[in-house]
Structures are given as C-alpha cells and as structure tokens.
Amino acid sequence: MILECTYDIEAVGNPFFKKIYDKVFNELNSKFKEYQFIHKQPTLKNISRMSSPGGGSNFQITNPTNKKTILLSFWDRGMNPFEKDLGWEDYDLIDYYGGIGMFETSEKIKEKYGVNHYPLQYPLGVKNSDIFIEKHRIKYNFENRIPKAIFIGRMHGSRKKICEILKKHPYIEIFDENDSYHNERYFEKIKDYRMGISLNGNGEFCLRDVEYMGMEIPIIRPKLKTKFYNPLNENEHFIPVDIESENANSDCVGTEYEVAQKIIKVVESNINNKDVLTETTKNGRDYFINFTSTDYISDLFINLIDIKNIT
C-alpha cells in the first residue's frame, strides 16, 4: 500500500523542522516495511498557509484511497486546523500530533471535532540557535548574574503597551528586536541576566521559552494552556504570572497596566530568591536537553503513531 507524506522538503527554511521531517520520513520506510511511503511536495500556496494541508509547519501522512490522515504539526495558533476554508474538509483527519496554542484538552478536541489529538514537543527554530546556545550558555550562578529580568522581542499588540510600562522598572530591561539583537547577538545579550521574561506573541508558546531553558535562564511567563507530551509545569520549569492570554493580539484579563503590574510583582518577589531561580534553571535546562532535540521529537512521533488508523 502506498501512503503519501506531504511536507515541504525545505521545511520553510526551518532547519529543525527539516531534521524532524527527514528523519521521520526515513524512519517510516524503515519501521513500516509493509507500506511504501512516498514524498509529495505541497504547492507554494499551501506551504505559505501554515495550518493548511501541506502547510510549511506540517508533516502529514495520507492514505490516498480514503483520504484518512495523520498530521504532525508545529504551528496551529488557536485551533487553526479546524477552521473552515483551510482545506481540511477534503481530508479525513484521524490523528493529530502536536500543535501550539491548543487551548482545548485532547478530550474536548475529540468530542468537538472527532479528531484524536496527542500533545507532542516543540524544537528550536532559528538557524544555528543550538550552536549559539552551547557557545554562549553560562552555568547559572545567581551571584554573578545581572540582577534584572530581560525581554527582547517584537513590539506589537498588547505587548507594546505592557513593555512600555515594564521598562520603567529598575529590575527589568526591555529591548525591541529592532535594537540589533538578532541571531547570535541575541544570545550574547541575554546570557548574563538573572531572569528572562516571556510574553505571548504570535501564539501562546514561543521559541524564546525553549531558548531560555537552553541558556540556563529561569523563565517568568503567563500561565500556560498549551500541553506537551512531557508537561511544562508551573513552579518547576517556569515561574507563572497569573495572566491568561492566547497571544499579543488577544484580549488579556485586565488592562495592559494591570498585566504589567502582575509581571512586576512576580519579578520583585523572585529576583533575589536564589533557591527558586537556581532550581527553576536546573529544571529548565534538564527539560531542554531531554525533550526538545530533533532526534527525541522524531523518535517520539514514530513510537506514538499507529499507521493502521489510516489504512
């Protein structure tokens, strides 16, 4: 039986997605020898529509005889795959692995959409960021770190107004990504700080969270709804702020001023707490090493899927 693997061979320029896609495709043909897996390159139009069939962040396995599909996805801001007019109505989506910004439980997704959803993991995304992390990472030493929390990112939506308030606080430093802190300079800049703030951007979870954990920088971030196969836990892997917001363009519970004050309160409460910050850093680094590599994510997907579900 022939099964089609639809994915962008260049993974929209994301080297970590590409490693996963390439390994998964090779492992499928190696492990499930009773099937013939063939690569199908999506159209440029579909690649650019990230949550559509053939979207740049998707790897889908489809049985062409019945359109039953297994989807591996790294995008999906706020249930996008289930919106109308994306093209999924032409497929019978059976199993859905991954997704970022999945604000309903797997049980609710099954009940509401009839799709089996399984949390997965998320890798790094910026070219050479794995190299930069290991080059610039400094083992966490509370006393030697700048006693401030840092945030570097694009100023848009509610994030812009929140950051205008935060940057006035003596324990917080805010930099727009346009301040030349790109690529390697970004990692060079953040490595010396005692804490890192992560604010919701295009989605709830951000590459920044993975980068902070890799760099041994304890994370302060809003409460997290996104679920992973290996849970990312409050007060273990990050210090939570009591904020609920799907992204920088969605409504927060409270005004930007109120949100900023909640972040400031958590910074002030923890900036001199050596034990909490040191333990959070260790847990985050362990999570980064164990659960975010492309090899781990590829192997996890291969071990979880059941090809018989689409045959």
Side-chain angles (χ1 to χ4, degrees):
M1 175 180 287
I2 293 176
L3 297 176
E4 296 174 344
C5 294
T6 304
Y7 63 98
D8 177 22
I9 198 71
E10 296 301 327
V12 290
N14 185 312
F16 301 94
F17 290 176
K18 180 170 174 53
K19 287 180 181 178
I20 292 171
Y21 296 168
D22 289 346
K23 183 171 182 179
V24 165
F25 183 72
N26 291 333
E27 288 295 318
L28 286 171
N29 280 296
S30 175
K31 182 175 180 180
F32 304 101
K33 296 185 182 298
E34 63 271 36
Y35 306 103
Q36 180 184 356
F37 296 89
I38 62 171
H39 172 245
K40 183 178 179 180
Q41 179 67 17
T43 65
L44 290 175
K45 179 180 179 180
N46 280 354
I47 291 172
S48 66
R49 301 177 71 198
M50 301 294 271
S51 294
S52 295
S57 294
N58 292 341
F59 183 110
Q60 62 196 71
I61 308 168
T62 300
N63 182 341
T65 64
N66 58 21
K67 290 297 184 179
K68 289 185 177 181
T69 297
I70 295 172
L71 174 65
L72 165 62
S73 179
F74 294 112
W75 182 258
D76 310 330
R77 310 297 191 183
M79 309 297 288
N80 281 351
F82 305 113
E83 291 180 1
K84 295 180 180 179
D85 303 323
L86 285 175
W88 288 110
E89 59 272 14
D90 297 329
Y91 295 83
D92 185 4
L93 186 56
I94 303 296
D95 295 333
Y96 173 29
Y97 292 84
I100 295 297
M102 305 300 291
F103 303 122
E104 296 189 55
T105 64
S106 297
E107 293 76 16
K108 194 68 176 179
I109 291 171
K110 176 66 174 179
E111 176 187 335
K112 191 173 182 180
Y113 302 102
V115 175
N116 302 314
H117 174 255
Y118 306 91
L120 207 67
Q121 295 297 128
Y122 203 71
L124 290 165
V126 179
K127 184 179 180 181
N128 294 327
S129 55
D130 53 343
I131 297 172
F132 297 150
I133 285 172
E134 296 311 316
K135 179 179 178 181
H136 296 291
R137 174 179 64 90
I138 301 173
K139 186 172 181 58
Y140 193 77
N141 185 309
F142 177 85
E143 285 80 9
N144 291 344
R145 294 290 178 108
I146 297 170
K148 294 183 179 183
I150 188 171
F151 173 82
I152 300 175
R154 184 163 62 94
M155 299 300 159
H156 64 108
S158 61
R159 178 190 282 180
K160 182 177 181 180
K161 294 180 180 179
I162 292 168
C163 284
E164 287 175 353
I165 299 168
L166 293 179
K167 69 182 181 182
K168 298 175 183 178
H169 194 279
Y171 287 163
I172 300 173
E173 290 197 5
I174 303 291
F175 299 92
D176 192 304
E177 66 175 7
N178 295 324
D179 293 333
S180 300
Y181 294 114
H182 298 288
N183 299 321
E184 187 168 6
R185 287 203 68 224
Y186 169 79
F187 296 95
E188 290 177 321
K189 180 65 178 177
I190 66 174
K191 65 182 175 61
D192 294 317
Y193 284 80
R194 192 174 285 180
M195 308 168 75
I197 297 172
S198 185
L199 300 175
N200 296 348
N202 290 328
E204 185 195 33
F205 187 77
C206 182
L207 290 173
R208 183 181 296 102
D209 297 75
V210 182
E211 293 163 351
Y212 279 159
M213 289 189 289
M215 287 288 288
E216 298 197 31
I217 299 173
I219 305 169
I220 288 180
R221 62 151 298 120
K223 288 179 174 292
L224 192 62
K225 293 182 181 179
T226 298
K227 305 298 181 185
F228 297 98
Y229 183 81
N230 301 281
L232 199 59
N233 297 321
E234 296 180 8
N235 299 312
E236 180 182 359
H237 302 108
F238 68 96
I239 300 169
V241 182
D242 190 16
I243 301 169
E244 293 188 6
S245 165
E246 294 181 2
N247 57 59
N249 296 309
S250 65
D251 293 332
C252 297
V253 178
T255 66
E256 285 88 355
Y257 176 81
E258 291 169 337
V259 169
Q261 293 307 309
K262 288 183 178 182
I263 295 170
I264 287 170
K265 182 178 179 180
V266 174
V267 170
E268 290 177 338
S269 299
N270 290 278
I271 194 71
N272 292 313
N273 194 327
K274 179 179 179 179
D275 291 342
V276 167
L277 296 183
T278 301
E279 183 65 19
T280 304
T281 299
K282 177 186 179 301
N283 295 337
R285 176 66 183 177
D286 288 346
Y287 190 99
F288 174 82
I289 293 171
N290 293 325
F291 305 132
T292 67
S293 73
T294 56
D295 282 341
Y296 174 80
I297 295 171
S298 303
D299 292 341
L300 178 62
F301 176 68
I302 290 294
N303 290 331
L304 289 175
I305 61 173
D306 187 350
I307 294 297
K308 292 181 181 179
N309 286 353
I310 62 172
T311 60

